[in-house]
Amino acid sequence: MDAGVRNRKNKTSPKSSKKNGKATNEVQDSPTDHDALKKSIEKLQHLKENLNRDSGDGESAPDTPPPEFTADGSPSSTPPPAEDTKKVAQPSPKQTRSSPQKKIKNGAVKPSPAKQPPLELSLRLDGMFDELHYGKYAGLYMQNTFFFDSQPPLGKQLVALAAYLAGFDGSFKFERIGTPYDAVVPVAAMRLVPAFFGSLMMPTVYNLMVELGLSHYTGALAAFLMIFDNAILAQSRYILMEGILLFFGLFGLLCIIKFRRFYSRPYSLPWFGCLIIGAASLGACVCVRYFGIFTMLLGIGVLTKDFWKMVGDRLVSERQLLGHLVTRVMIFTTVPLALYMGCFYVHLSLLYKAGPNDNIMTSAFQASLEGGLASIISTQPVKVVHGSQITLRHTHGRTCWLHSHDVMYPVKYADNRGSSHQQQVTCYSYKDVNNWWIVKKPEKDEMVVTEPHEPFKSGDIVQLVHGLTSRALNAHDVAAAMSPHNQEVAAYVDYNVSMPAQSTWRVEILNPEETDGYWHAVESQIRLIHVNSSQALKFSGRQLPDWGFRQHEVVTDKVVEQEDTIWNVEEHRYSKSEDKKEREKDLLRSEMIPLERKNLTYWNKLYELQYKMLFNNQENVAGHMYASDPLDWLLLKRGVAYWISANSNAQVHFLGNIVTWLSGTLSVVAYLALFVVYLLRRQRSCYDLSDTAWEKFCTVGELCLLAAMVEHGHDLLAHYLKAPRLARAYQAAVGVWAAAILYVFWYFSPVTYGSRDLTADEVMSLAWRDTWDLIIHKQ
């Protein structure tokens, strides 16, 4: 890379590590088992991936940008790594740790002794996969450093609060999987948060079942199913969000169901209490993870159903109906919205320093952070004038800058189409001296700022000249390399052939009211319209091949009004010298003196952050070999490896209790079948269930199924079919089923707690399905 390259990216460590997971037990296993296990492990050892992520989990780009040139200044013949390679990191059974086996005791990590007291076995884990991210977020909160995550911040804030109360200062960086926790990390306090909420789920489920009109035995059964589910236990033992999410969702639904008790006491304190607390809890569910919105919609659906029944109550006047409607809508709008806004207000207030993901935000947002971009643009001029030196950033979507380099498009592309053979213009995802352009008036040859200044306004015609090569941004009637339906964009080279320059552009400012119509750095969002073709300069999203150094394509497009045609000036300085060599020197030393950050309102920052969270992550989350489909979860086909010891087969997997999960799937099928049968018979005036029983049957189908279906099966045999012997046999079968749940929980407890080393046979029997899926998928 040229010596003038300015690389101001945030540092991060790759989110992967190579594992050696060979069985090292003293048990003498058969050669066949060892060979099979060894082969599967060898395949998994090649899965190490270096991540280039700019959203989703707080990871920034790698330290070194893809090279454009070799050390001698010639174009590189070796293609750089693809900028678009974004893998969603999931740990494989042999790819989650790289350090020797450790144990955590009072926050300190020590090598495991030859023999360990049984009491300490459950404390041996460190460096969990997702735990790494949430621990990192807590540290960034402690140091007021901005990070980007595609999920709301409430759960992370609760963990950070626990860390703060425990005295954590954020000095431990959680940089990579396998890094032992230092003594300064309050692991117990941070894990206490999900453990606390996870433990509250069981009494919540019990009360929810009873509130639905089911028996106390059924409520106890539902709590039993949750207590002895390996997946819920694993999620509650580590710094993860799912336990918090599930509790808020279940507790919110419980409050909504309890709200029905006070139908005859509207506007009483308990009536308001259940409604407000239910709205707050369901809102908190959304504030932990966005897919909590489905639980909130379920609660709103239950309220809507109850209100619809109230409409049919002749004792309730129309005025009272309107009052109930307004009250419920107001509470379920204001309470969750206030909670949502509040947690983001805390988030944005605490994170005021530049951090690992600020480059994913717009220039204006970055300028509002202390350090980072704010330190670069703080003293730069505001108005773009004739002679301004600028960098043009793609405003929305992928972060990259308009870029050119002294390399031409190939004479012919791979499909045998001809190009203009002009100088390449791309969108480059790294800060680089070749991102600088000079804005000038077409009728003027000199490229220095004149006195008085000649500022540009919306509608003005300009030329953009590349700072280091002095070639003008140009477009012409030649098909683009990767998007042949668009025009190619290049920096014009005069070959003395019949291809004259078409290098004039009209500036369209999209927010002129904020800058009095003038073109401002950072603040103005602009489109550059090619004068000759009336097409807009556009980031196409396509990646160029090796000859384009894997950078991104820039084209012109007839469809002007789209987000990929929006740009903004990020860095800005005034040209002072007409001499080309002096100008190059100025560009190479273009860093500016840090002063203070730019002010940006909470609402502007919130709007942008919401936009990025909801849309930007969709561009960056790619499919990966560990991904699972919804059907995989219903049938429990795949688990997720959380941790594996570096020198033994002790490990932790996220894996549900097979008996419970498959029974739950069957209960859904059974419920739907019974619902259809009952509904058809009721339509034929055959009322197998009383109105009260039918109402209860419909309600439990909206909320909790498995335990309710167990009770319903007993009721059918004992009360409707009048078969007491069958009912007793059914109870015995339920007892056997519960015993099977206990056995499966015990059987999988080694990979739930990670409490002991596993033999090769146990590894194959416990995780054969995951290993087999990984091998088949890779082949």
Side-chain angles (χ1 to χ4, degrees):
M1 180 64 73
D2 194 302
V5 171
R6 295 178 294 109
N7 182 8
R8 289 188 278 104
K9 301 177 296 303
N10 302 291
K11 307 296 183 185
T12 188
S13 299
K15 283 287 190 196
S16 58
S17 62
K18 192 176 289 187
K19 285 290 307 157
N20 180 5
K22 293 189 293 184
T24 57
N25 339 94
E26 297 178 359
V27 179
Q28 296 298 318
D29 299 304
S30 66
T32 304
D33 287 343
H34 276 300
D35 291 344
L37 183 61
K38 183 176 179 181
K39 289 180 180 179
S40 65
I41 290 170
E42 287 174 351
K43 290 178 180 291
L44 296 175
Q45 283 179 331
H46 296 290
L47 298 179
K48 182 176 180 181
E49 300 166 337
N50 289 325
L51 304 183
N52 174 7
R53 300 192 57 175
D54 51 16
S55 74
D57 69 346
E59 292 306 303
S60 60
D63 293 342
T64 306
E68 293 185 308
F69 302 96
T70 59
D72 61 0
S74 60
S76 172
S77 59
T78 304
E83 289 182 40
D84 275 349
T85 305
K86 293 187 178 67
K87 306 285 186 180
V88 177
Q90 295 282 355
S92 73
K94 304 295 174 189
Q95 193 194 2
T96 56
R97 290 291 311 276
S98 60
S99 63
Q101 183 179 356
K102 307 285 181 179
K103 71 175 182 177
I104 295 176
K105 185 176 181 181
N106 298 329
V109 182
K110 301 178 180 179
S112 299
K115 293 183 179 180
Q116 294 179 333
L119 186 61
E120 295 182 352
L121 285 175
S122 63
L123 302 177
R124 266 174 38 187
L125 305 179
D126 62 353
M128 303 303 295
F129 173 67
D130 279 347
E131 187 171 70
L132 184 82
H133 297 310
Y134 297 120
K136 177 189 294 184
Y137 296 149
L140 292 172
Y141 271 120
M142 297 303 102
Q143 298 194 334
N144 305 110
T145 302
F146 179 80
F147 64 86
F148 178 86
D149 184 61
S150 59
Q151 297 294 338
L154 180 60
K156 296 180 279 290
Q157 289 172 347
L158 294 173
V159 172
L161 177 61
Y164 172 76
L165 294 176
F168 184 45
D169 61 0
S171 57
F172 185 79
K173 300 303 181 185
F174 297 89
E175 288 183 335
R176 67 175 66 221
I177 295 173
T179 302
Y181 289 157
D182 287 347
V184 300
V185 182
V187 181
M190 295 166 75
R191 288 179 176 172
L192 181 64
V193 175
F196 172 74
F197 286 104
S199 64
L200 291 179
M201 280 193 286
M202 290 61 184
T204 303
V205 167
Y206 171 84
N207 282 280
L208 180 58
M209 302 299 287
V210 172
E211 201 66 36
L212 287 170
L214 300 168
S215 68
H216 291 276
Y217 295 106
T218 304
L221 175 61
F224 168 85
L225 294 175
M226 299 196 73
I227 291 172
F228 293 102
D229 183 72
N230 303 72
I232 291 177
L233 176 62
Q235 289 285 359
S236 300
R237 296 185 71 237
Y238 308 110
I239 310 172
L240 303 170
M241 298 293 106
E242 280 68 23
I244 306 173
L245 172 80
L246 288 171
F247 167 75
F248 280 131
L250 290 170
F251 186 72
L253 292 174
L254 174 61
C255 292
I256 296 303
I257 300 300
K258 279 186 175 291
F259 175 72
R260 293 173 169 175
R261 282 189 182 186
F262 310 104
Y263 180 87
S264 59
R265 297 165 54 192
Y267 306 107
S268 63
L269 184 60
W271 187 91
F272 270 116
C274 287
L275 194 59
I276 293 173
I277 296 174
S281 186
L282 292 174
C285 183
V286 179
C287 292
V288 174
R289 281 188 178 274
Y290 276 127
F291 52 76
I293 189 67
F294 297 109
T295 308
M296 186 173 186
L297 291 175
L298 175 59
I300 293 174
V302 172
L303 280 179
T304 303
K305 180 181 176 182
D306 290 346
F307 180 77
W308 181 249
K309 291 179 181 178
M310 186 183 295
V311 172
D313 188 347
R314 301 296 297 271
L315 298 177
V316 181
S317 67
E318 293 180 358
R319 184 175 180 179
Q320 289 173 322
L321 280 175
L322 181 61
H324 277 281
L325 177 64
V326 171
T327 302
R328 297 180 191 204
V329 170
M330 286 288 292
I331 289 176
F332 257 80
T333 300
T334 57
V335 173
L337 192 60
L339 184 62
Y340 188 80
M341 295 293 183
C343 72
F344 272 100
Y345 182 82
V346 172
H347 182 75
L348 293 170
S349 298
L350 289 176
L351 307 183
Y352 58 83
K353 296 180 181 178
N357 298 133
D358 57 345
N359 66 342
I360 202 173
M361 310 306 290
T362 64
S363 303
F365 192 103
Q366 290 183 66
S368 70
L369 301 174
E370 183 180 295
L373 179 64
S375 69
I376 304 302
I377 68 170
S378 56
T379 60
Q380 70 182 20
V382 174
K383 286 185 179 180
V384 179
V385 302
H386 172 81
S388 285
Q389 297 175 357
I390 64 172
T391 63
L392 271 176
R393 171 181 164 143
H394 178 234
T395 301
H396 300 296
R398 186 180 180 88
T399 301
C400 61
W401 291 265
L402 189 68
H403 176 95
S404 187
H405 39 246
D406 196 8
V407 178
M408 309 305 162
Y409 286 109
V411 177
K412 286 191 175 182
Y413 299 125
D415 58 2
N416 213 33
R417 287 185 296 113
S419 79
S420 65
H421 198 46
Q422 300 278 308
Q423 181 172 301
Q424 295 176 16
V425 170
T426 66
C427 204
Y428 191 41
S429 297
Y430 300 90
K431 291 300 185 72
D432 187 277
V433 69
N434 279 311
N435 298 349
W436 284 94
W437 299 80
I438 301 172
V439 189
K440 61 181 288 289
K441 292 189 172 184
E443 64 273 14
K444 289 192 173 185
D445 293 330
E446 64 274 8
M447 290 186 289
V448 294
V449 174
T450 58
E451 292 292 344
H453 294 166
E454 301 176 81
F456 292 110
K457 302 185 71 174
S458 187
D460 285 351
I461 305 299
V462 302
Q463 284 182 314
L464 279 83
V465 178
H466 188 240
L468 292 188
T469 63
S470 298
R471 289 169 176 159
L473 186 70
N474 192 78
H476 29 236
D477 190 15
V478 175
M482 311 305 296
S483 307
H485 55 288
N486 296 128
Q487 284 190 169
E488 179 190 272
V489 173
Y492 183 71
V493 180
D494 188 1
Y495 289 122
N496 292 319
V497 296
S498 56
M499 185 179 284
Q502 297 181 4
S503 57
T504 53
W505 304 81
R506 185 176 70 254
V507 178
E508 284 191 0
I509 302 177
L510 306 183
N511 53 342
E513 66 284 350
E514 297 180 15
T515 60
D516 295 329
Y518 288 98
W519 185 4
H520 281 192
V522 179
E523 294 176 293
S524 295
Q525 296 185 3
I526 68 162
R527 287 191 174 100
L528 290 171
I529 309 300
H530 188 232
V531 172
N532 296 81
S533 64
S534 299
Q535 298 186 25
L537 186 72
K538 174 188 173 183
F539 164 79
S540 74
R542 303 287 183 87
Q543 194 169 29
L544 297 171
D546 296 347
W547 55 256
F549 307 99
R550 302 282 184 176
Q551 296 173 18
H552 284 83
E553 181 187 49
V554 174
V555 299
T556 62
D557 197 326
K558 295 178 182 177
V559 181
V560 172
E561 294 188 2
Q562 52 179 305
E563 287 188 342
D564 281 327
T565 61
I566 300 177
W567 306 78
N568 67 272
V569 172
E570 186 168 271
E571 296 176 64
H572 180 213
R573 55 188 288 125
Y574 286 162
S575 301
K576 299 177 181 178
S577 174
E578 186 65 32
D579 182 74
K580 186 175 185 294
K581 294 295 182 182
E582 286 297 320
R583 187 168 67 239
E584 289 179 5
K585 290 180 181 179
D586 286 342
L587 290 174
L588 293 174
R589 55 174 182 258
S590 57
E591 295 283 357
M592 298 184 183
I593 301 172
L595 283 181
E596 59 184 12
R597 58 182 181 171
K598 177 184 176 65
N599 289 325
L600 196 65
T601 68
Y602 162 73
W603 296 107
N604 288 335
K605 295 173 74 172
L606 179 65
Y607 172 80
E608 180 178 334
L609 187 57
Q610 290 298 288
Y611 178 87
K612 295 288 185 181
M613 290 171 68
L614 293 174
F615 298 106
N616 188 80
N617 195 50
Q618 303 304 315
E619 304 171 359
N620 296 304
V621 176
H624 54 94
M625 67 184 302
Y626 309 110
S628 56
D629 298 321
L631 192 61
D632 292 340
W633 291 97
L634 287 175
L635 302 178
L636 206 62
K637 287 181 60 180
R638 308 193 69 178
V640 177
Y642 275 173
W643 171 83
I644 295 179
S645 169
N647 56 4
S648 75
N649 279 321
Q651 50 195 273
V652 174
H653 285 253
F654 174 74
L655 183 68
N657 189 304
I658 295 175
V659 175
T660 304
W661 284 49
L662 294 184
S663 298
T665 301
L666 291 175
S667 73
V668 173
V669 177
Y671 178 85
L672 293 174
L674 281 174
F675 182 82
V676 171
V677 170
Y678 288 151
L679 191 63
L680 289 174
R681 287 179 60 78
R682 289 179 74 85
Q683 190 68 13
R684 300 287 294 175
S685 299
C686 298
Y687 299 101
D688 301 299
L689 303 180
S690 65
D691 289 343
T692 302
W694 170 249
E695 180 66 24
K696 183 171 73 172
F697 183 79
C698 293
T699 302
V700 297
E702 298 169 353
L703 300 170
C704 299
L705 268 177
L706 181 52
M709 285 299 294
V710 172
E711 179 182 300
H712 187 72
H714 180 266
D715 289 344
L716 282 179
L717 296 173
H719 302 299
Y720 294 97
L721 297 181
K722 308 294 184 183
R725 291 184 180 179
L726 285 177
R728 286 193 293 272
Y730 180 85
Q731 288 177 327
V734 170
V736 172
W737 174 66
I741 290 173
L742 287 173
Y743 173 77
V744 170
F745 177 82
W746 168 82
Y747 183 77
F748 284 104
S749 61
V751 293
T752 301
Y753 289 98
S755 56
R756 65 177 177 84
D757 297 345
L758 304 178
T759 67
D761 286 338
E762 287 175 322
V763 171
M764 297 300 291
S765 63
L766 287 169
W768 67 269
R769 195 159 42 241
D770 288 335
T771 304
W772 180 253
D773 281 352
L774 290 172
I775 293 172
I776 295 299
H777 194 102
K778 185 171 178 61
Q779 289 176 342

